[in-house]
Short mmCIF file of all heavy atoms in Angstrom, two decimals:
data_model
loop_
_atom_site.label_atom_id
_atom_site.label_comp_id
_atom_site.label_asym_id
_atom_site.label_seq_id
_atom_site.Cartn_x
_atom_site.Cartn_y
_atom_site.Cartn_z
N MET F 206 -63.26 46.35 38.17
CA MET F 206 -64.03 45.54 39.08
C MET F 206 -63.33 45.53 40.43
O MET F 206 -62.13 45.33 40.52
CB MET F 206 -64.16 44.12 38.52
CG MET F 206 -64.81 43.16 39.46
SD MET F 206 -65.18 41.51 38.80
CE MET F 206 -63.79 41.10 37.85
N SER F 207 -64.09 45.74 41.48
CA SER F 207 -63.52 45.72 42.83
C SER F 207 -63.74 44.35 43.46
O SER F 207 -64.56 43.56 43.01
CB SER F 207 -64.16 46.79 43.69
OG SER F 207 -65.51 46.45 43.95
N ILE F 208 -63.00 44.08 44.54
CA ILE F 208 -63.17 42.81 45.25
C ILE F 208 -64.58 42.68 45.79
O ILE F 208 -65.15 41.61 45.81
CB ILE F 208 -62.12 42.68 46.38
CG1 ILE F 208 -60.72 42.56 45.77
CG2 ILE F 208 -62.40 41.49 47.27
CD1 ILE F 208 -59.60 42.55 46.76
N ALA F 209 -65.20 43.79 46.19
CA ALA F 209 -66.56 43.76 46.71
C ALA F 209 -67.56 43.29 45.65
O ALA F 209 -68.61 42.77 45.98
CB ALA F 209 -66.95 45.14 47.23
N ALA F 210 -67.22 43.46 44.38
CA ALA F 210 -68.12 43.07 43.30
C ALA F 210 -68.05 41.57 42.98
O ALA F 210 -68.84 41.07 42.22
CB ALA F 210 -67.80 43.87 42.04
N ILE F 211 -67.11 40.86 43.59
CA ILE F 211 -66.95 39.43 43.34
C ILE F 211 -67.81 38.65 44.32
O ILE F 211 -67.79 38.91 45.52
CB ILE F 211 -65.47 39.02 43.47
CG1 ILE F 211 -64.64 39.75 42.43
CG2 ILE F 211 -65.31 37.51 43.32
CD1 ILE F 211 -63.14 39.53 42.58
N ASN F 212 -68.58 37.69 43.81
CA ASN F 212 -69.49 36.91 44.64
C ASN F 212 -68.74 35.73 45.28
O ASN F 212 -68.96 34.58 44.94
CB ASN F 212 -70.67 36.41 43.80
CG ASN F 212 -71.68 35.68 44.66
OD1 ASN F 212 -71.71 35.83 45.88
ND2 ASN F 212 -72.49 34.86 44.02
N VAL F 213 -67.83 36.04 46.19
CA VAL F 213 -67.09 35.02 46.91
C VAL F 213 -67.15 35.39 48.39
O VAL F 213 -66.68 36.45 48.78
CB VAL F 213 -65.62 34.94 46.44
CG1 VAL F 213 -64.84 33.92 47.26
CG2 VAL F 213 -65.56 34.58 44.97
N ARG F 214 -67.72 34.53 49.20
CA ARG F 214 -67.89 34.85 50.62
C ARG F 214 -66.63 34.60 51.43
O ARG F 214 -66.39 35.26 52.42
CB ARG F 214 -69.04 34.05 51.20
CG ARG F 214 -70.36 34.44 50.61
CD ARG F 214 -71.46 33.55 51.14
NE ARG F 214 -72.67 33.78 50.40
CZ ARG F 214 -73.77 34.28 50.94
NH1 ARG F 214 -73.81 34.57 52.21
NH2 ARG F 214 -74.83 34.46 50.21
N ASN F 215 -65.84 33.60 51.05
CA ASN F 215 -64.66 33.25 51.82
C ASN F 215 -63.46 34.01 51.28
O ASN F 215 -62.90 33.67 50.25
CB ASN F 215 -64.42 31.74 51.75
CG ASN F 215 -65.59 30.97 52.32
OD1 ASN F 215 -66.04 31.26 53.42
ND2 ASN F 215 -66.08 30.01 51.57
N GLN F 216 -63.08 35.06 52.00
CA GLN F 216 -61.95 35.89 51.60
C GLN F 216 -60.96 35.94 52.76
O GLN F 216 -61.35 36.21 53.89
CB GLN F 216 -62.42 37.30 51.26
CG GLN F 216 -63.41 37.34 50.12
CD GLN F 216 -63.85 38.75 49.78
OE1 GLN F 216 -63.24 39.73 50.19
NE2 GLN F 216 -64.91 38.85 49.00
N PHE F 217 -59.71 35.65 52.47
CA PHE F 217 -58.67 35.62 53.48
C PHE F 217 -57.57 36.60 53.10
O PHE F 217 -56.90 36.42 52.08
CB PHE F 217 -58.07 34.21 53.61
CG PHE F 217 -59.08 33.16 53.97
CD1 PHE F 217 -59.72 32.43 52.99
CD2 PHE F 217 -59.39 32.92 55.30
CE1 PHE F 217 -60.66 31.46 53.32
CE2 PHE F 217 -60.32 31.95 55.65
CZ PHE F 217 -60.96 31.22 54.65
N ARG F 218 -57.39 37.63 53.90
CA ARG F 218 -56.26 38.54 53.69
C ARG F 218 -54.99 37.84 54.12
O ARG F 218 -55.00 37.03 55.03
CB ARG F 218 -56.44 39.81 54.49
CG ARG F 218 -57.57 40.66 54.00
CD ARG F 218 -57.61 41.99 54.75
NE ARG F 218 -58.72 42.79 54.29
CZ ARG F 218 -58.67 43.60 53.23
NH1 ARG F 218 -57.57 43.71 52.54
NH2 ARG F 218 -59.73 44.28 52.86
N GLY F 219 -53.90 38.15 53.46
CA GLY F 219 -52.64 37.55 53.82
C GLY F 219 -51.49 38.12 53.03
O GLY F 219 -51.63 39.11 52.32
N VAL F 220 -50.36 37.45 53.17
CA VAL F 220 -49.13 37.85 52.50
C VAL F 220 -48.60 36.66 51.73
O VAL F 220 -48.62 35.52 52.23
CB VAL F 220 -48.08 38.30 53.55
CG1 VAL F 220 -46.77 38.63 52.89
CG2 VAL F 220 -48.60 39.48 54.34
N VAL F 221 -48.14 36.89 50.50
CA VAL F 221 -47.57 35.81 49.71
C VAL F 221 -46.31 35.30 50.41
O VAL F 221 -45.38 36.07 50.66
CB VAL F 221 -47.24 36.27 48.27
CG1 VAL F 221 -46.53 35.15 47.50
CG2 VAL F 221 -48.49 36.70 47.55
N LYS F 222 -46.32 34.02 50.77
CA LYS F 222 -45.18 33.42 51.48
C LYS F 222 -44.22 32.76 50.51
O LYS F 222 -43.01 32.82 50.68
CB LYS F 222 -45.68 32.40 52.49
CG LYS F 222 -44.58 31.72 53.25
CD LYS F 222 -45.12 30.70 54.22
CE LYS F 222 -43.92 30.05 54.91
NZ LYS F 222 -44.28 28.88 55.65
N GLU F 223 -44.77 32.08 49.48
CA GLU F 223 -43.92 31.35 48.54
C GLU F 223 -44.65 31.22 47.21
O GLU F 223 -45.86 31.09 47.16
CB GLU F 223 -43.61 29.96 49.10
CG GLU F 223 -42.69 29.14 48.21
CD GLU F 223 -42.36 27.78 48.80
OE1 GLU F 223 -43.00 27.34 49.75
OE2 GLU F 223 -41.43 27.15 48.26
N ILE F 224 -43.87 31.25 46.14
CA ILE F 224 -44.39 30.99 44.80
C ILE F 224 -43.51 29.92 44.17
O ILE F 224 -42.29 30.09 44.08
CB ILE F 224 -44.38 32.26 43.91
CG1 ILE F 224 -45.25 33.35 44.53
CG2 ILE F 224 -44.85 31.92 42.49
CD1 ILE F 224 -45.14 34.69 43.83
N ILE F 225 -44.14 28.82 43.78
CA ILE F 225 -43.42 27.77 43.05
C ILE F 225 -43.90 27.87 41.61
O ILE F 225 -45.01 27.45 41.28
CB ILE F 225 -43.71 26.38 43.65
CG1 ILE F 225 -43.29 26.34 45.11
CG2 ILE F 225 -42.97 25.31 42.83
CD1 ILE F 225 -43.69 25.08 45.84
N GLU F 226 -43.06 28.47 40.78
CA GLU F 226 -43.44 28.78 39.41
C GLU F 226 -43.12 27.65 38.46
O GLU F 226 -42.01 27.13 38.45
CB GLU F 226 -42.73 30.06 38.97
CG GLU F 226 -43.32 30.67 37.72
CD GLU F 226 -42.74 32.04 37.45
OE1 GLU F 226 -42.82 32.91 38.34
OE2 GLU F 226 -42.21 32.23 36.34
N GLY F 227 -44.12 27.27 37.67
CA GLY F 227 -43.93 26.26 36.64
C GLY F 227 -44.11 26.90 35.28
O GLY F 227 -44.47 28.07 35.17
N PRO F 228 -43.89 26.13 34.21
CA PRO F 228 -44.02 26.70 32.87
C PRO F 228 -45.45 27.11 32.52
O PRO F 228 -45.65 28.05 31.77
CB PRO F 228 -43.52 25.59 31.95
CG PRO F 228 -43.53 24.35 32.77
CD PRO F 228 -43.46 24.74 34.20
N VAL F 229 -46.44 26.42 33.09
CA VAL F 229 -47.84 26.72 32.77
C VAL F 229 -48.63 27.14 34.00
O VAL F 229 -49.37 28.11 33.96
CB VAL F 229 -48.52 25.50 32.11
CG1 VAL F 229 -49.99 25.78 31.81
CG2 VAL F 229 -47.79 25.10 30.83
N VAL F 230 -48.48 26.39 35.10
CA VAL F 230 -49.18 26.73 36.34
C VAL F 230 -48.18 26.93 37.47
O VAL F 230 -47.06 26.41 37.42
CB VAL F 230 -50.22 25.66 36.74
CG1 VAL F 230 -51.34 25.57 35.73
CG2 VAL F 230 -49.57 24.31 36.96
N SER F 231 -48.60 27.68 38.46
CA SER F 231 -47.76 27.97 39.62
C SER F 231 -48.56 27.77 40.89
O SER F 231 -49.78 27.92 40.91
CB SER F 231 -47.26 29.42 39.57
OG SER F 231 -46.44 29.62 38.45
N GLU F 232 -47.86 27.43 41.99
CA GLU F 232 -48.47 27.34 43.31
C GLU F 232 -48.12 28.62 44.07
O GLU F 232 -46.96 29.03 44.10
CB GLU F 232 -47.92 26.15 44.10
CG GLU F 232 -48.35 24.81 43.56
CD GLU F 232 -47.81 23.68 44.41
OE1 GLU F 232 -47.74 23.82 45.65
OE2 GLU F 232 -47.43 22.65 43.82
N VAL F 233 -49.13 29.22 44.67
CA VAL F 233 -48.93 30.44 45.46
C VAL F 233 -49.42 30.16 46.87
O VAL F 233 -50.59 29.84 47.07
CB VAL F 233 -49.70 31.63 44.85
CG1 VAL F 233 -49.48 32.88 45.68
CG2 VAL F 233 -49.29 31.86 43.40
N ASP F 234 -48.52 30.26 47.85
CA ASP F 234 -48.87 30.10 49.26
C ASP F 234 -49.10 31.46 49.87
O ASP F 234 -48.26 32.36 49.77
CB ASP F 234 -47.75 29.39 50.03
CG ASP F 234 -47.64 27.92 49.69
OD1 ASP F 234 -48.58 27.37 49.08
OD2 ASP F 234 -46.61 27.32 50.04
N VAL F 235 -50.26 31.61 50.53
CA VAL F 235 -50.62 32.86 51.19
C VAL F 235 -50.70 32.59 52.69
O VAL F 235 -51.43 31.70 53.13
CB VAL F 235 -51.98 33.39 50.68
CG1 VAL F 235 -52.40 34.63 51.44
CG2 VAL F 235 -51.91 33.67 49.18
N LEU F 236 -49.94 33.33 53.47
CA LEU F 236 -49.93 33.22 54.93
C LEU F 236 -50.93 34.21 55.51
O LEU F 236 -50.79 35.42 55.30
CB LEU F 236 -48.53 33.48 55.48
CG LEU F 236 -48.35 33.42 56.99
CD1 LEU F 236 -48.66 32.03 57.51
CD2 LEU F 236 -46.94 33.85 57.37
N THR F 237 -51.94 33.69 56.22
CA THR F 237 -52.96 34.54 56.81
C THR F 237 -52.48 35.05 58.17
O THR F 237 -51.56 34.49 58.77
CB THR F 237 -54.29 33.78 56.99
OG1 THR F 237 -54.10 32.76 57.98
CG2 THR F 237 -54.77 33.18 55.68
N PRO F 238 -53.11 36.11 58.70
CA PRO F 238 -52.71 36.64 60.00
C PRO F 238 -52.82 35.61 61.13
O PRO F 238 -52.10 35.69 62.11
CB PRO F 238 -53.68 37.80 60.24
CG PRO F 238 -54.08 38.24 58.87
CD PRO F 238 -54.11 36.96 58.05
N SER F 239 -53.69 34.62 60.98
CA SER F 239 -53.85 33.60 62.03
C SER F 239 -52.82 32.49 61.91
O SER F 239 -52.80 31.56 62.71
CB SER F 239 -55.26 33.01 61.99
OG SER F 239 -55.47 32.33 60.76
N GLY F 240 -51.95 32.57 60.89
CA GLY F 240 -50.90 31.58 60.72
C GLY F 240 -51.25 30.43 59.79
O GLY F 240 -50.44 29.53 59.59
N LEU F 241 -52.44 30.44 59.23
CA LEU F 241 -52.82 29.41 58.28
C LEU F 241 -52.26 29.72 56.90
O LEU F 241 -52.09 30.89 56.55
CB LEU F 241 -54.35 29.30 58.18
CG LEU F 241 -55.08 28.88 59.45
CD1 LEU F 241 -56.57 28.96 59.23
CD2 LEU F 241 -54.67 27.48 59.86
N ILE F 242 -51.99 28.68 56.13
CA ILE F 242 -51.52 28.86 54.76
C ILE F 242 -52.60 28.41 53.80
O ILE F 242 -53.12 27.30 53.91
CB ILE F 242 -50.21 28.09 54.51
CG1 ILE F 242 -49.10 28.66 55.36
CG2 ILE F 242 -49.84 28.14 53.03
CD1 ILE F 242 -47.78 27.95 55.24
N VAL F 243 -52.96 29.29 52.89
CA VAL F 243 -53.90 28.97 51.81
C VAL F 243 -53.08 28.87 50.54
O VAL F 243 -52.32 29.78 50.21
CB VAL F 243 -54.97 30.09 51.67
CG1 VAL F 243 -55.91 29.78 50.52
CG2 VAL F 243 -55.75 30.26 52.97
N THR F 244 -53.20 27.73 49.85
CA THR F 244 -52.44 27.51 48.62
C THR F 244 -53.37 27.57 47.43
O THR F 244 -54.43 26.95 47.42
CB THR F 244 -51.73 26.14 48.66
OG1 THR F 244 -50.87 26.09 49.78
CG2 THR F 244 -50.91 25.91 47.40
N SER F 245 -52.95 28.30 46.42
CA SER F 245 -53.71 28.40 45.17
C SER F 245 -52.84 27.94 44.01
O SER F 245 -51.65 28.23 43.98
CB SER F 245 -54.13 29.85 44.94
OG SER F 245 -54.83 29.97 43.72
N VAL F 246 -53.45 27.21 43.09
CA VAL F 246 -52.77 26.83 41.85
C VAL F 246 -53.40 27.68 40.75
O VAL F 246 -54.59 27.54 40.46
CB VAL F 246 -52.91 25.33 41.56
CG1 VAL F 246 -52.27 24.99 40.23
CG2 VAL F 246 -52.31 24.50 42.69
N ILE F 247 -52.61 28.59 40.20
CA ILE F 247 -53.10 29.48 39.15
C ILE F 247 -52.11 29.46 37.99
O ILE F 247 -50.99 28.97 38.12
CB ILE F 247 -53.30 30.93 39.66
CG1 ILE F 247 -51.96 31.55 40.10
CG2 ILE F 247 -54.31 30.96 40.79
CD1 ILE F 247 -52.09 33.02 40.50
N THR F 248 -52.53 30.00 36.87
CA THR F 248 -51.62 30.02 35.73
C THR F 248 -50.43 30.93 36.02
O THR F 248 -50.54 31.92 36.75
CB THR F 248 -52.33 30.51 34.45
OG1 THR F 248 -52.74 31.87 34.64
CG2 THR F 248 -53.52 29.64 34.09
N THR F 249 -49.31 30.56 35.47
CA THR F 249 -48.11 31.37 35.61
C THR F 249 -48.32 32.74 34.97
O THR F 249 -47.82 33.75 35.47
CB THR F 249 -46.90 30.64 35.00
OG1 THR F 249 -46.76 29.39 35.69
CG2 THR F 249 -45.62 31.42 35.11
N ARG F 250 -49.09 32.77 33.92
CA ARG F 250 -49.43 34.05 33.28
C ARG F 250 -50.15 34.97 34.27
O ARG F 250 -49.86 36.17 34.35
CB ARG F 250 -50.31 33.80 32.06
CG ARG F 250 -50.73 35.05 31.35
CD ARG F 250 -51.56 34.71 30.13
NE ARG F 250 -51.96 35.92 29.45
CZ ARG F 250 -52.63 35.94 28.32
NH1 ARG F 250 -52.96 34.81 27.73
NH2 ARG F 250 -52.95 37.07 27.76
N SER F 251 -51.07 34.41 35.07
CA SER F 251 -51.79 35.21 36.07
C SER F 251 -50.85 35.71 37.16
O SER F 251 -51.01 36.84 37.64
CB SER F 251 -52.93 34.40 36.69
OG SER F 251 -53.94 34.15 35.74
N VAL F 252 -49.88 34.88 37.56
CA VAL F 252 -48.89 35.32 38.55
C VAL F 252 -48.19 36.57 38.04
O VAL F 252 -48.02 37.55 38.77
CB VAL F 252 -47.87 34.20 38.85
CG1 VAL F 252 -46.70 34.73 39.67
CG2 VAL F 252 -48.54 33.04 39.57
N LYS F 253 -47.80 36.55 36.79
CA LYS F 253 -47.09 37.69 36.20
C LYS F 253 -48.01 38.91 36.04
O LYS F 253 -47.64 40.03 36.37
CB LYS F 253 -46.47 37.29 34.87
CG LYS F 253 -45.37 36.25 35.02
CD LYS F 253 -44.75 35.88 33.70
CE LYS F 253 -43.78 34.73 33.77
NZ LYS F 253 -42.88 34.71 34.88
N GLU F 254 -49.24 38.69 35.56
CA GLU F 254 -50.17 39.80 35.34
C GLU F 254 -50.57 40.47 36.65
O GLU F 254 -50.79 41.69 36.69
CB GLU F 254 -51.41 39.32 34.59
CG GLU F 254 -51.14 39.00 33.13
CD GLU F 254 -52.36 38.47 32.39
OE1 GLU F 254 -53.43 38.28 33.02
OE2 GLU F 254 -52.23 38.24 31.17
N LEU F 255 -50.68 39.69 37.74
CA LEU F 255 -51.03 40.25 39.04
C LEU F 255 -49.82 40.85 39.76
O LEU F 255 -49.98 41.51 40.78
CB LEU F 255 -51.65 39.16 39.93
CG LEU F 255 -53.05 38.69 39.53
CD1 LEU F 255 -53.42 37.42 40.30
CD2 LEU F 255 -54.07 39.78 39.78
N GLY F 256 -48.63 40.60 39.21
CA GLY F 256 -47.42 41.12 39.84
C GLY F 256 -47.15 40.48 41.19
O GLY F 256 -46.65 41.13 42.10
N LEU F 257 -47.52 39.20 41.32
CA LEU F 257 -47.34 38.52 42.60
C LEU F 257 -45.86 38.28 42.88
O LEU F 257 -45.10 37.90 41.99
CB LEU F 257 -48.08 37.17 42.60
CG LEU F 257 -49.60 37.25 42.48
CD1 LEU F 257 -50.19 35.85 42.50
CD2 LEU F 257 -50.19 38.10 43.58
N GLN F 258 -45.49 38.51 44.13
CA GLN F 258 -44.14 38.23 44.59
C GLN F 258 -44.19 38.04 46.10
O GLN F 258 -45.13 38.49 46.76
CB GLN F 258 -43.17 39.33 44.19
CG GLN F 258 -43.63 40.73 44.49
CD GLN F 258 -42.70 41.74 43.86
OE1 GLN F 258 -41.62 41.97 44.36
NE2 GLN F 258 -43.13 42.35 42.76
N VAL F 259 -43.21 37.34 46.62
CA VAL F 259 -43.15 37.07 48.06
C VAL F 259 -43.18 38.39 48.82
O VAL F 259 -42.50 39.35 48.45
CB VAL F 259 -41.88 36.25 48.39
CG1 VAL F 259 -41.71 36.12 49.90
CG2 VAL F 259 -41.95 34.88 47.74
N GLY F 260 -44.01 38.43 49.86
CA GLY F 260 -44.14 39.62 50.68
C GLY F 260 -45.28 40.54 50.30
O GLY F 260 -45.62 41.46 51.03
N ARG F 261 -45.89 40.30 49.15
CA ARG F 261 -46.98 41.18 48.69
C ARG F 261 -48.27 40.86 49.44
O ARG F 261 -48.63 39.71 49.62
CB ARG F 261 -47.18 41.00 47.19
CG ARG F 261 -48.34 41.82 46.67
CD ARG F 261 -48.13 42.34 45.32
NE ARG F 261 -49.18 43.30 45.01
CZ ARG F 261 -49.53 43.61 43.80
NH1 ARG F 261 -48.90 43.07 42.78
NH2 ARG F 261 -50.48 44.48 43.58
N ASP F 262 -49.00 41.90 49.85
CA ASP F 262 -50.30 41.73 50.47
C ASP F 262 -51.32 41.33 49.41
O ASP F 262 -51.36 41.94 48.32
CB ASP F 262 -50.76 43.03 51.14
CG ASP F 262 -49.95 43.38 52.37
OD1 ASP F 262 -49.48 42.44 53.04
OD2 ASP F 262 -49.79 44.57 52.67
N VAL F 263 -52.13 40.32 49.72
CA VAL F 263 -53.13 39.82 48.78
C VAL F 263 -54.39 39.41 49.54
O VAL F 263 -54.40 39.37 50.77
CB VAL F 263 -52.60 38.60 47.98
CG1 VAL F 263 -51.46 38.98 47.07
CG2 VAL F 263 -52.21 37.47 48.91
N VAL F 264 -55.41 39.09 48.79
CA VAL F 264 -56.62 38.48 49.33
C VAL F 264 -56.84 37.18 48.59
O VAL F 264 -56.87 37.16 47.36
CB VAL F 264 -57.86 39.40 49.15
CG1 VAL F 264 -59.11 38.71 49.65
CG2 VAL F 264 -57.66 40.72 49.85
N ALA F 265 -56.93 36.07 49.34
CA ALA F 265 -57.24 34.76 48.74
C ALA F 265 -58.75 34.61 48.72
O ALA F 265 -59.41 34.72 49.76
CB ALA F 265 -56.60 33.64 49.55
N LEU F 266 -59.31 34.42 47.54
CA LEU F 266 -60.75 34.26 47.37
C LEU F 266 -61.04 32.78 47.15
O LEU F 266 -60.55 32.19 46.19
CB LEU F 266 -61.23 35.08 46.18
CG LEU F 266 -60.83 36.56 46.21
CD1 LEU F 266 -61.07 37.20 44.86
CD2 LEU F 266 -61.60 37.28 47.30
N VAL F 267 -61.84 32.19 48.04
CA VAL F 267 -62.09 30.75 47.98
C VAL F 267 -63.55 30.51 47.65
O VAL F 267 -64.45 30.92 48.39
CB VAL F 267 -61.75 30.06 49.33
CG1 VAL F 267 -62.01 28.57 49.24
CG2 VAL F 267 -60.31 30.35 49.72
N LYS F 268 -63.78 29.84 46.52
CA LYS F 268 -65.14 29.47 46.13
C LYS F 268 -65.11 28.01 45.72
O LYS F 268 -64.37 27.62 44.81
CB LYS F 268 -65.63 30.34 44.98
CG LYS F 268 -67.07 30.11 44.63
CD LYS F 268 -67.60 31.16 43.69
CE LYS F 268 -69.09 30.98 43.48
NZ LYS F 268 -69.65 32.04 42.68
N SER F 269 -65.87 27.21 46.42
CA SER F 269 -65.83 25.78 46.16
C SER F 269 -67.25 25.23 46.10
O SER F 269 -68.10 25.60 46.90
CB SER F 269 -65.04 25.07 47.26
OG SER F 269 -65.08 23.68 47.06
N THR F 270 -67.47 24.34 45.18
CA THR F 270 -68.77 23.70 45.11
C THR F 270 -68.80 22.40 45.90
O THR F 270 -69.85 21.84 46.13
CB THR F 270 -69.14 23.39 43.64
OG1 THR F 270 -68.12 22.59 43.08
CG2 THR F 270 -69.28 24.67 42.85
N GLU F 271 -67.63 21.93 46.32
CA GLU F 271 -67.57 20.66 47.06
C GLU F 271 -66.34 20.63 47.96
O GLU F 271 -65.25 21.02 47.55
CB GLU F 271 -67.49 19.49 46.07
CG GLU F 271 -67.39 18.15 46.74
CD GLU F 271 -67.29 17.02 45.73
OE1 GLU F 271 -67.66 17.21 44.56
OE2 GLU F 271 -66.84 15.95 46.14
N VAL F 272 -66.54 20.17 49.16
CA VAL F 272 -65.44 19.91 50.08
C VAL F 272 -65.61 18.48 50.57
O VAL F 272 -66.65 18.14 51.12
CB VAL F 272 -65.44 20.88 51.29
CG1 VAL F 272 -64.35 20.50 52.27
CG2 VAL F 272 -65.29 22.31 50.81
N SER F 273 -64.62 17.64 50.33
CA SER F 273 -64.69 16.24 50.74
C SER F 273 -63.88 16.03 52.00
O SER F 273 -62.82 16.63 52.19
CB SER F 273 -64.14 15.34 49.64
OG SER F 273 -64.90 15.50 48.47
N ILE F 274 -64.38 15.14 52.87
CA ILE F 274 -63.69 14.81 54.11
C ILE F 274 -63.65 13.29 54.23
O ILE F 274 -64.66 12.62 53.99
CB ILE F 274 -64.39 15.42 55.33
CG1 ILE F 274 -64.40 16.94 55.23
CG2 ILE F 274 -63.72 14.95 56.63
CD1 ILE F 274 -65.17 17.61 56.31
N ALA F 275 -62.49 12.76 54.60
CA ALA F 275 -62.33 11.32 54.81
C ALA F 275 -61.85 11.09 56.23
O ALA F 275 -61.17 11.93 56.80
CB ALA F 275 -61.35 10.74 53.81
N THR F 276 -62.20 9.95 56.80
CA THR F 276 -61.70 9.61 58.12
C THR F 276 -60.32 9.01 58.03
O THR F 276 -59.92 8.47 57.00
CB THR F 276 -62.64 8.61 58.82
OG1 THR F 276 -62.75 7.44 58.00
CG2 THR F 276 -64.02 9.21 59.03
N LEU F 277 -59.56 9.11 59.11
CA LEU F 277 -58.21 8.56 59.16
C LEU F 277 -58.21 7.20 59.79
O LEU F 277 -58.97 6.86 60.61
CB LEU F 277 -57.28 9.50 59.94
CG LEU F 277 -57.18 10.91 59.36
CD1 LEU F 277 -56.34 11.77 60.28
CD2 LEU F 277 -56.54 10.84 57.98
#
């Protein structure tokens, strides 16, 4: 399956900046070319299967059914 075959409109190219690995889930920070950081929480098993490591080029795929906003 290619990335083009995935029905996700929000795709951000970037580089893995940091991985905080836990026993079950891990946080992966992706630094985009514009300087924004996209953080994903995925299973640690997926981190290993994808071969993720700091400095690797990746695409962050964002699909959300809800975005909440609160005033300050």
Side-chain angles (χ1 to χ4, degrees):
M206 173 173 41
S207 69
I208 293 175
I211 298 173
N212 184 20
V213 177
R214 294 176 190 244
N215 300 310
Q216 300 181 14
F217 301 93
R218 292 186 181 274
V220 176
V221 175
K222 179 181 179 192
E223 182 178 14
I224 300 172
I225 301 172
E226 195 170 304
V229 178
V230 295
S231 297
E232 290 182 37
V233 180
D234 288 345
V235 176
L236 179 63
T237 67
S239 64
L241 297 174
I242 295 178
V243 178
T244 302
S245 178
V246 177
I247 64 175
T248 63
T249 300
R250 179 178 180 177
S251 292
V252 169
K253 294 181 187 319
E254 288 178 357
L255 290 168
L257 296 180
Q258 48 189 283
V259 172
R261 176 145 190 203
D262 290 329
V263 294
V264 177
L266 306 167
V267 180
K268 186 169 186 175
S269 176
T270 57
E271 178 181 341
V272 176
S273 300
I274 299 175
T276 58
L277 301 175

